[in-house]
């Protein structure tokens, strides 16, 4: 029998009496599957409904209006992406999408080819006047939703830290005062049976730390059992978000916590599917340790390499077939900004070639 993703209540985490049970259930979910549902999450049902409605309204606009927000208009990797223009796992995704991030001023000092590429990610979202005229609640609704998802994600990362026997503020300190996040709004149109477009989004792992997904009730999302390799339907459950971890956490915990492989199948129900994932990561200037330090009874991370013996280092590298999966002692941290930039420029090469001074 395939495992089933658990449904956890954020209120159980916030209540001291039930917190230990929540952390134990979270730990089990993240070591076995890398995903769970979260309910009682504190995000207003009205805000969730309004956000899903405004996203549907946006995708219903005429194509010429949507093209005013094309993702290539600015260097910040925000905006609209046409159907079939993004590839995942070497397959064209059958979806339209719209991307947002923190509403910031761009760095005036940024110079293509001279400045670090990831510093070009900072900047505002696109809000064409004619789009706001057509959808007056579009901007305030999206910004409020991102604010609320940042609060929820901060709670979840605090819980992840405690589940690893780390200090509660470990990830808050690591993420810094200005965490970087991305909101992706996607429309997966229904397809007729027998059509060639059967994959809405190809199989992949998210590359960052945490993903909090809102989906409608149409279905189509699948996760892969890390043991058997079989695909499992991640069915919509009303009033919940789906929480998954990305490769950055998998790497940081030396594989103790799973990054879930997932994909989206296009449905044949005659209804379009809408989903809104929120990707929550550290600040662009954050330096991420290669691996966690030893963490209590769970031993999620084996080595503090600055103080370990040679024997400890060799054992802690977890070497298989002569290959070490993580950086050695001379590479003790990695740049989160560079990591995020690598992800987005691979997905959107047209932005890279136009704004960063060279071909992708």
């Amino acid at each position: 029998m395939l495992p089933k993703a658990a449904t956890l209540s954020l209120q159980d985490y916030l209540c001291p009496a039930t917190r230990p049970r929540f952390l134990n259930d979270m730990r089990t979910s993240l070591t076995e599957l890398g995903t769970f549902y979260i309910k009682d999450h504190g995000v207003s049902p009205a805000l969730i409904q309004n956000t899903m409605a405004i996203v549907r309204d946006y995708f219903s606009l005429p194509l010429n209006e949507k093209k005013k927000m094309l993702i290539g208009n600015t260097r910040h990797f925000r905006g609209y992406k046409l159907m079939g223009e993004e590839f995942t796992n070497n397959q064209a995704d059958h979806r339209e999408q719209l991307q947002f991030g923190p509403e910031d001023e761009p760095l005036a000092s940024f110079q293509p080819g001279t400045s670090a590429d990831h510093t070009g990610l900072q900047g505002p979202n696109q809000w064409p006047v004619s789009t706001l005229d057509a959808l007056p609640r579009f901007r305030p609704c999206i910004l409020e939703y991102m604010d609320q998802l940042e609060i929820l994600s901060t709670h979840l990362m605090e819980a992840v830290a405690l589940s690893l026997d780390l200090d509660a503020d470990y990830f808050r300190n690591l993420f810094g005062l200005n965490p970087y996040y991305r909101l992706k709004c996607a429309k997966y149109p229904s397809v007729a049976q027998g059509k060639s477009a059967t994959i809405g989004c190809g199989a992949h792992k998210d590359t960052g730390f945490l993903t909090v997904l809102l989906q409608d009730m149409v279905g189509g999302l699948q996760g892969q059992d890390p043991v058997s390799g079989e695909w499992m339907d991640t069915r919509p459950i009303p009033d919940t978000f789906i929480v998954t971890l990305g490769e950055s956490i998998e790497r940081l915990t030396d594989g103790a916590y799973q990054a879930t492989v997932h994909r989206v199948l296009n449905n044949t129900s005659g209804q379009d599917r809408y989903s809104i994932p929120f990707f929550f990561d550290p600040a662009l200037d954050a330096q991420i340790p290669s691996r966690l330090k030893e963490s209590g009874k769970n031993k999620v991370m084996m080595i503090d390499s600055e103080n370990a013996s040679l024997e400890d280092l060799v054992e802690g590298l977890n070497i298989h077939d002569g290959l070490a999966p993580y950086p050695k002692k001379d590479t003790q941290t990695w740049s989160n900004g560079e990591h995020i930039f690598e992800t987005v420029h691979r997905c959107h090469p047209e932005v890279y070639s136009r704004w960063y001074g060279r071909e992708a």
Side-chain angles (χ1 to χ4, degrees), residues 83 94-95 188-200 265-273:
M83 182 80 66
H94 191 64
R95 61 182 177 180
Y188 297 87
S190 179
V191 295
Q193 291 186 354
K195 294 289 186 180
S196 59
T198 57
I199 292 290
L265 299 178
N266 277 323
N267 70 88
T268 56
S269 67
Q271 301 179 66
D272 297 331
R273 176 181 183 268

Side-chain angles (χ1 to χ4, degrees), residues 73-90:
N73 289 348
T74 76
R75 68 171 186 254
H76 311 304
F77 292 87
R78 322 275 181 87
Y80 174 70
K81 189 93 168 181
L82 287 139
M83 182 80 66
E85 287 197 348
E86 184 172 353
F87 286 76
T88 303
N89 202 14
N90 297 317

Side-chain angles (χ1 to χ4, degrees), residues 94-121:
H94 191 64
R95 61 182 177 180
E96 291 179 84
Q97 56 183 295
L98 181 64
Q99 302 206 52
F100 301 94
E103 189 74 15
D104 293 321
E105 291 296 321
L107 291 179
S109 60
F110 178 81
Q111 293 293 327
T114 302
S115 304
D117 285 340
H118 69 266
T119 59
L121 296 175

Side-chain angles (χ1 to χ4, degrees), residues 149-150 175 215 225 275 296 301 318 332:
L149 266 288
E150 181 178 2
F175 278 46
Q215 62 174 340
D225 179 359
S275 73
M301 170 56 199
N318 192 22
Q332 291 310 307

Side-chain angles (χ1 to χ4, degrees), residues 67-257:
K67 281 185 173 182
K68 293 177 182 178
M69 287 182 68
L70 282 175
I71 199 167
N73 289 348
T74 76
R75 68 171 186 254
H76 311 304
F77 292 87
R78 322 275 181 87
Y80 174 70
K81 189 93 168 181
L82 287 139
M83 182 80 66
E85 287 197 348
E86 184 172 353
F87 286 76
T88 303
N89 202 14
N90 297 317
Q91 291 178 292
D93 296 334
H94 191 64
R95 61 182 177 180
E96 291 179 84
Q97 56 183 295
L98 181 64
Q99 302 206 52
F100 301 94
E103 189 74 15
D104 293 321
E105 291 296 321
L107 291 179
S109 60
F110 178 81
Q111 293 293 327
T114 302
S115 304
D117 285 340
H118 69 266
T119 59
L121 296 175
Q122 180 175 317
N125 297 291
Q126 298 190 61
W127 307 109
V129 172
S130 58
T131 303
L132 297 183
D133 287 342
L135 304 172
R137 289 292 302 160
F138 184 44
R139 186 177 190 273
C141 185
I142 293 295
L143 293 179
E144 183 182 0
Y145 184 79
M146 290 194 293
D147 286 345
Q148 291 300 306
L149 266 288
E150 181 178 2
I151 292 170
L152 172 59
S153 299
T154 299
H155 283 309
L156 291 170
M157 289 308 301
E158 182 182 83
V160 170
L162 291 173
S163 76
L164 292 167
D165 293 333
L166 300 167
D167 292 337
D169 61 356
Y170 178 85
F171 287 111
R172 188 186 297 269
N173 293 335
L174 184 65
F175 278 46
L177 296 177
N178 298 296
Y180 187 79
Y181 51 78
R182 291 172 291 135
L183 185 74
K184 179 182 286 188
C185 309
K187 174 186 176 181
Y188 297 87
S190 179
V191 295
Q193 291 186 354
K195 294 289 186 180
S196 59
T198 57
I199 292 290
C201 181
H204 67 286
K205 295 180 179 182
D206 293 340
T207 59
F209 276 74
L210 181 77
T211 304
V212 181
L213 171 69
L214 173 66
Q215 62 174 340
D216 65 14
M217 299 305 294
V218 172
L221 177 65
Q222 293 186 322
Q224 189 174 46
D225 179 359
V227 176
S228 70
E230 294 184 71
W231 290 101
M232 308 168 291
D233 290 332
T234 308
R235 299 185 184 280
I237 297 177
D239 304 317
T240 69
F241 292 101
I242 297 170
V243 179
T244 59
L245 298 183
E247 290 177 309
S248 293
I249 284 283
E250 187 175 70
R251 172 180 178 177
L252 197 61
T253 62
D254 202 18
Y257 278 5

